[in-house]
Amino acid sequence: NGECVFSRICGFGCTATSWGQFSRVYAKNSINIKNQVNDSSFTQTSKETSSQYSIFDLVYGKILCPSVNITNNECYRYTAIYCNPASSDTCYISYSSIVNNTANGGYNCIWFEKSDASYFINTCNILNNKQTTSSYGTIYAYANLHIKDSCILGNNEGYTVFYEDSSSKQITISNCTIDNGRSYGSVTITKTIESSFINALSHIATQS
């Protein structure tokens, strides 16, 4: 029935036996309730069971993740973030690095669930994330998703990267550098950067 904000947190080697290897947060199911992770780093989670899902499982509220580093983690599914905001609310991931994460049971890295919410990825590095099956791509959405000014390279080699699962919604990609445009569903690339770049992002240092 409340809200939650994590700020300047370092998580190293966190594990749980089910959802949310660092945290599983159910906020109040209402718009404008805070459900946020700010200026934090999470690394070196390792898979121990087939029921380990996501570093963050964030449910309901306005989900904001500015300047978050999720790197070198291994889970069974949804390796980095599973987002399910309140109806008609927003999930916004910005200035974040999601790098070298592995889903060894399949089912991707970033999952956006609620069909009537709005999702945004802005100025992020999404690099070298892997999964062991082709299921649902690196970035999955069942809603409208806008991705801009981001570097999306080395992900899910040979498989789909962008997966839009709703026939009435679409993923829109603008001003990004990508090396694998494989997609499923309605995915529109309005502009790409011809030369590869990686955003110069700095993050709080884990374990220091």
Side-chain angles (χ1 to χ4, degrees):
N1 291 318
E3 53 190 357
C4 180
V5 177
F6 291 108
S7 183
R8 295 187 62 78
I9 300 293
C10 285
F12 182 87
C14 302
T15 60
T17 57
S18 59
W19 288 82
Q21 301 311 295
F22 177 78
S23 71
R24 188 183 199 192
V25 177
Y26 271 64
K28 184 177 181 180
N29 188 8
S30 176
I31 62 173
N32 298 319
I33 291 294
K34 295 177 182 178
N35 194 352
Q36 301 179 14
V37 184
N38 305 332
D39 192 21
S40 298
S41 288
F42 306 92
T43 68
Q44 301 299 327
T45 291
S46 60
K47 172 186 170 288
E48 296 176 356
T49 73
S50 61
S51 57
Q52 288 181 286
Y53 300 158
S54 67
I55 300 301
F56 279 99
D57 177 22
L58 302 175
V59 180
Y60 301 147
K62 185 184 296 294
I63 298 172
L64 302 178
C65 298
S67 193
V68 176
N69 175 31
I70 300 176
T71 297
N72 295 330
N73 298 287
E74 181 181 0
C75 293
Y76 189 70
R77 294 180 178 175
Y78 326 121
T79 315
I81 302 176
Y82 183 99
C83 293
N84 188 358
S87 297
S88 302
D89 218 324
T90 299
C91 175
Y92 200 103
I93 301 173
S94 60
Y95 301 97
S96 293
S97 295
I98 299 173
V99 180
N100 292 334
N101 299 292
T102 300
N104 59 20
Y107 280 54
N108 71 22
C109 186
I110 303 169
W111 186 283
F112 297 125
E113 176 75 17
K114 187 68 68 63
S115 64
D116 55 354
S118 297
Y119 299 90
F120 301 88
I121 295 175
N122 180 25
T123 316
C124 290
N125 293 324
I126 302 173
L127 309 172
N128 302 324
N129 298 287
K130 300 175 179 64
Q131 60 196 67
T132 56
T133 74
S134 59
S135 302
Y136 299 111
T138 302
I139 302 170
Y140 169 96
Y142 193 68
N144 287 322
L145 167 62
H146 301 270
I147 305 173
K148 70 173 188 175
D149 300 333
S150 294
C151 173
I152 305 172
L153 300 173
N155 298 286
N156 210 14
E157 185 174 352
Y159 294 134
T160 299
V161 172
F162 308 99
Y163 196 105
E164 175 55 72
D165 207 13
S166 172
S167 60
S168 62
K169 309 293 183 179
Q170 73 171 7
I171 297 173
T172 303
I173 302 166
S174 62
N175 209 43
C176 294
T177 179
I178 60 176
D179 63 352
N180 180 357
R182 291 191 183 191
S183 63
Y184 174 89
S186 180
V187 177
T188 300
I189 300 175
T190 60
K191 182 182 179 183
T192 58
I193 304 301
E194 293 184 1
S195 59
S196 297
F197 70 91
I198 296 178
N199 288 304
L201 304 177
S202 61
H203 300 287
I204 190 172
T206 299
Q207 280 196 310
S208 66

